[in-house]
Amino acid sequence: MKVLVSTDIEGVAGVVHHQQTRAGNPEYERARLLMTAEANAAIAGAFDGGATEVLVNDSHGDFRNMPAELLDARARMVLGKPRYLGMVAGVEEGVDAVCMVGYHSRAQGRGILAHTINSFAFARVFFNGTELGEAGIYGALAGAYGAAVVMASGDDAFIEEHRPLFPQAVFVQTKRATGQTSGVSLSPAQSCAAIRAGVAAALARRDAVRPLLLETPVSVRLQTQTPALADLFCQWPSLRRVAGDELALEAPSVEAAVRMLNCLSAMSALLR
């Protein structure tokens, strides 16, 4: 059984502020270690649950946050960017289950450090009329490769948003959101223990979990953070403007939709 562990940082226990998510300051240096510990807990849980191979995908920011020497040596690492499959790169190797660790609620949500892909670029993202955050977007991409999300961890707002998308998955709550940059968190040790147990429990019942599948072609609608970003993005000929801060496109597949979002995210740096 091959398992992919995708790790973000905003949903990690003890992380509540933007400084903890951005390289170049002491708060980040501490938070990346908390992220690594939760990744290791998930890896251990995967092997407890019968995995024979584990890939761990560094899925935050520039995709190179977790010190390689501190990760469980039994796992292989997926890190660095650009990469076509982003936060679920590795799923193309034929994984049997996906675990999402340290994830967060979507942009405009009430969760801690809520955003979708790029907090500067996207206010709302819809696939086929359903608003999705990162877990939904990448859960659908994993589903297109035949892999189901069996476990996910993050704050209570993240869980409330994503339980309807992944009704059979095991969710682990690492903290309770009381604001965009405040919450009540488990200790790192408590969170790691819960994640390890949650992954093992999820894999024990993985055959009952179905992948998230979207109809194709995918109708994508984006609300940008500013009309200026919509101006920029609509330089791309396949995008059409539907409102001052909204645009739409048709993508032949979920992968094509995700790759377009990541291209637009990279473009947004031109206006920073």
Side-chain angles (χ1 to χ4, degrees):
M1 177 169 56
K2 184 182 293 187
V3 176
L4 175 65
V5 176
S6 174
T7 56
D8 207 346
I9 200 169
E10 287 87 357
V12 168
V15 175
V16 295
H17 195 273
H18 298 288
Q19 285 186 349
Q20 294 174 282
T21 70
R22 296 169 181 164
N25 63 80
E27 286 289 315
Y28 165 78
E29 293 301 325
R30 294 170 59 198
R32 70 195 294 217
L33 299 181
L34 299 177
M35 177 186 180
T36 306
E38 291 197 0
N40 281 337
I43 295 166
F47 283 110
D48 292 345
T52 55
E53 186 175 353
V54 177
L55 290 164
V56 59
N57 179 321
D58 189 324
S59 298
H60 173 66
D62 58 8
F63 296 168
R64 50 185 182 89
N65 304 276
M66 297 183 291
E69 70 276 12
L70 298 182
L71 280 167
D72 189 318
R74 294 174 292 177
R76 290 190 293 129
M77 295 170 287
V78 182
L79 66 168
K81 65 169 39 173
R83 56 190 192 220
Y84 292 158
L85 302 183
M87 298 177 78
V88 292
V91 73
E92 73 279 9
E93 294 194 18
V95 304
D96 299 293
V98 175
C99 301
M100 295 179 164
V101 175
Y103 271 62
H104 52 83
S105 60
R106 62 180 179 252
Q108 309 299 315
R110 65 174 184 83
I112 296 168
L113 299 171
H115 68 280
T116 301
I117 300 178
N118 180 332
S119 58
F120 176 77
F122 307 127
R124 304 180 80 184
V125 177
F126 296 84
F127 280 16
N128 293 342
T130 299
E131 186 172 8
L132 297 178
E134 290 171 21
I137 290 167
Y138 281 101
L141 181 53
Y145 277 84
V149 175
V150 300
M151 175 271 177
S153 69
D155 68 21
D156 60 321
F158 163 75
I159 293 172
E160 182 180 346
E161 284 180 9
H162 290 89
R163 198 181 294 280
L165 286 177
F166 309 118
Q168 300 142 333
V170 172
F171 285 92
V172 174
Q173 183 177 320
T174 58
K175 52 196 172 186
R176 175 171 56 86
T178 57
Q180 287 282 307
T181 55
S182 65
V184 180
S185 177
L186 295 180
S187 70
Q190 286 177 311
S191 184
C192 287
I195 287 168
R196 181 171 183 170
V199 171
L203 293 179
R205 55 186 300 274
R206 68 178 178 84
D207 290 339
V209 184
R210 298 290 175 260
L212 175 60
L213 299 175
L214 300 185
E215 291 186 7
T216 56
V218 181
S219 296
V220 180
R221 183 165 63 88
L222 303 176
Q223 180 184 2
T224 59
Q225 292 286 359
T226 66
L229 281 163
D231 293 341
L232 174 65
F233 294 162
C234 284
Q235 296 295 317
W236 203 296
S238 60
L239 275 60
R240 64 183 186 276
R241 193 75 164 264
V242 295
D245 60 354
E246 293 185 15
L247 53 92
L249 67 137
E250 298 292 317
S253 65
V254 176
E255 181 175 338
V258 171
R259 290 171 67 172
M260 176 62 81
L261 287 176
N262 287 329
C263 286
L264 298 179
S265 177
M267 287 175 65
S268 71
L270 296 173
L271 293 185
R272 291 190 183 182

